[in-house]
Amino acid sequence: RAIWEALPDVDGILYGAALHGHAPASALFARARAALPAHPVVHRRLDDPLLHTLVANAAADLGYGVL
């Protein structure tokens, strides 16, 4: 909230993700909504076979299993 109020031109923050080895992650404020597309360009279910490797690798990086 302090960043939101003190820096009205900032749309979000970049931080080190604790669950991903402090790799860069971002959090966008509501005022960033206009910068995002209204609808996704691609939409796939997480169980889509085309996403299997991507989901499995992301889970492995985080130390999670995929059911």
Side-chain angles (χ1 to χ4, degrees):
R1 177 172 269 187
I3 295 171
W4 170 274
E5 293 172 356
L7 302 168
D9 293 332
V10 173
D11 288 337
I13 58 172
L14 184 65
Y15 64 96
L19 294 177
H20 206 296
H22 298 285
S26 60
L28 298 176
F29 302 141
R31 62 180 165 226
R33 185 175 296 140
L36 301 173
H39 302 285
V41 175
V42 175
H43 178 74
R44 295 193 180 276
R45 291 171 42 114
L46 291 177
D47 63 356
D48 185 316
L50 293 174
L51 293 180
H52 177 77
T53 300
L54 179 67
V55 171
N57 289 343
D61 287 348
L62 295 169
Y64 296 159
V66 177
L67 302 175

